[in-house]
């Protein structure tokens, strides 16, 4: 394998990466969020830039510093992320959906802080579905654009985990799907990751583990191969 410093194999390629986790407001002071720090997505953006790509990073509430040399578009909610990705994907060669996008948002956002009532014993929130950004891109014609999705799963069984990834790739129309096991102690806030990349026939294209940066480079190796195959 070639050293990262010597590679310039994404020169002239426009890569859009989403990273982080969306936040869905409930009222002016509260939101529904998730534990995604943005580390894996930022590592992909950074690695792609180092390999010569023109990178647009759609950054959703990153808990880590933004990478240098990338065009950054900051978003917070799933709807904002959808708008930013739809814009950035125009003319992009690769879209990598590493962000954890909220599946639901509040049916209505309160203009004022939601107050407790002395007599209540609980609170029921009404949520509505957010659009599936990846599936939206995957189901629209996207000739010449490689679409890479992620799957965050807590399934402990390896074979069942892969099957969940295969089903997600199929359902969303992604070209590649990166299966990532997450849990109370796995996936988030660490600098290490372990993933399996699934291809169009449900086959395992590669397995990668190590730092999020090295996993990013392994995923980009697959992207480079796919772009070369598509161009041939
Ligand atoms: N995703 C998206 N829009 C959403 C939800 C997810 O684009 N509203 C994308 C994520 O960025 C990721 C992929 O879809 O690339 C899979 O996300 P994940 O949460 O693992 O899967 P879901 O399809 O949302 O299924 P579930 O959460 O029910 O497992
Ligand atoms: Ca989800």
């Amino acid at each position: 394998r070639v050293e990262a410093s010597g590679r310039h194999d994404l020169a002239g390629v426009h890569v859009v990466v989403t990273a982080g986790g969306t936040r869905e407001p409930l009222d002016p002071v509260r939101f529904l969020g998730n534990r995604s720090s943005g580390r894996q997505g930022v590592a992909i953006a950074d690695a792609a830039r180092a390999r010569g790509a023109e990178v647009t990073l759609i950054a959703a509430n990153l808990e880590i510093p933004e990478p240098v040399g990338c065009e950054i578009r900051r978003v917070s909610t799933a709807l904002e992320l959808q708008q930013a990705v739809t814009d950035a994907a125009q003319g992009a060669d690769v879209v990598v959906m590493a962000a954890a996008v909220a599946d639901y948002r509040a049916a209505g956002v309160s203009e004022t802080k939601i107050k407790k009532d002395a007599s209540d014993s609980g609170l029921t929130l009404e949520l509505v579905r957010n659009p599936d950004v990846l599936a939206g891109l995957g189901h629209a014609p996207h000739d010449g654009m490689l679409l890479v999705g992620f799957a965050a799963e807590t399934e402990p069984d390896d074979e069942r985990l892969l099957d969940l990834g295969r089903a997600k790739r199929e359902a969303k129309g992604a070209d590649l799907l990166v299966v990532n096991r997450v849990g109370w102690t796995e996936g988030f806030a660490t600098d290490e990751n372990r993933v399996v990349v699934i291809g169009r026939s449900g086959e395992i294209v590669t397995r990668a583990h190590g730092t999020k940066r090295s996993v990013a480079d392994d995923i980009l190796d697959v992207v480079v191969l796919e772009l070369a195959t598509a161009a041939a």
Side-chain angles (χ1 to χ4, degrees), residues 168-216:
K168 263 184 199 177
R169 192 208 60 77
E170 181 88 37
K172 290 163 187 271
D175 299 298
L176 296 168
L177 193 112
V178 182
V179 187
N180 204 178
R181 184 179 279 134
V182 293
W184 296 110
T185 58
E186 284 171 291
F188 308 110
T190 68
D191 285 316
E192 300 272 313
N193 206 2
R194 175 183 296 273
V195 306
V196 180
V197 181
I198 303 282
R200 289 184 197 82
S201 321
E203 82 281 15
I204 295 172
V205 181
T206 197
R207 293 176 183 275
H209 64 96
T211 61
K212 286 184 174 171
R213 176 53 181 256
S214 90
V215 167

Side-chain angles (χ1 to χ4, degrees), residues 18 78 81 97-103 130-135 148-153 168 172 177:
T18 67
L81 183 140
M97 285 291 302
V101 184
D103 295 321
N130 275 327
D132 189 317
V133 181
L134 176 59
V148 184
F150 271 68
E153 304 288 354
K168 263 184 199 177
K172 290 163 187 271
L177 193 112

